[in-house]
């Protein structure tokens, strides 16, 4: 694997120009849920080979927003994120390349649950 499109090195993620957006499928039915979190801090290490790269991001769990107040209360509650006990969560990963997108497989801290995500560079914004 290569780190094509990314220069090797250590990078700090700028929270003011970054976002954590998610989508999830309902357990029943074809519908989905979209939401977002505020990024507190983050860093990316790009290495060669790409499998040696890694990322760490800290998000404000209390900032979760899906556009539905009832859903947000449920997600923020003990049923999911437990923001009373875990106001932040950290995502730390291992990298692999999949179809031109970087897929992050790692561990989401807070209430311990495995997580996965995809990352992309928005070329239009110069990010």
């Amino acid at each position: 694997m290569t780190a094509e499109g990314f220069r090797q090195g250590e990078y700090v993620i700028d929270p003011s120009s970054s976002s954590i957006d998610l989508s999830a499928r309902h357990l029943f039915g074809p519908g989905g849920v979209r939401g977002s979190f505020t990024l507190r801090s983050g860093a990316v290490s790009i290495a060669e080979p790409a499998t040696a790269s890694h990322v760490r991001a800290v998000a404000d769990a209390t900032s979760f927003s899906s556009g539905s107040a009832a859903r947000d209360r449920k997600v923020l509650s003990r049923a999911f994120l437990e923001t009373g006990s875990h106001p932040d969560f950290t995502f730390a990963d291992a990298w692999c390349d999949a179809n031109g997108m970087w897929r992050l497989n790692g561990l989401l801290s807070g209430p311990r649950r495995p997580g996965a995500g995809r990352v992309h560079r928005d070329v239009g914004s110069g990010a």
Side-chain angles (χ1 to χ4, degrees):
M1 284 187 232
T2 66
E4 185 177 331
F6 297 94
R7 289 186 171 201
Q8 293 179 31
E10 303 290 323
Y11 299 90
V12 174
I13 302 170
D14 178 6
S16 67
S17 62
S18 303
S19 64
I20 301 171
D21 301 313
L22 64 96
S23 62
R25 295 181 208 197
H26 285 288
L27 185 58
F28 302 103
V33 174
R34 295 187 184 279
S36 64
F37 294 95
T38 301
L39 180 69
R40 289 198 191 274
S41 64
V44 178
S45 174
I46 304 293
E48 190 62 45
T51 54
S53 300
H54 59 273
V55 67
R56 179 177 167 86
V58 178
D60 176 0
T62 65
S63 70
F64 177 77
S65 175
S66 69
S68 167
R71 179 183 300 122
D72 294 353
R73 280 192 300 276
K74 181 73 170 177
V75 169
L76 295 169
S77 76
R78 292 183 61 199
F80 292 99
L81 294 180
E82 297 182 63
T83 58
S85 300
H86 305 281
D88 292 334
F89 66 84
T90 302
F91 184 84
D93 82 307
W95 289 72
C96 64
D97 192 2
N99 300 323
M101 291 287 270
W102 288 92
R103 181 175 172 81
L104 309 177
N105 293 304
L107 189 61
L108 191 61
S109 72
R112 289 282 191 185
R113 294 179 174 93
R118 291 190 184 102
V119 97
H120 72 279
R121 180 172 65 171
D122 183 353
V123 178
S125 70

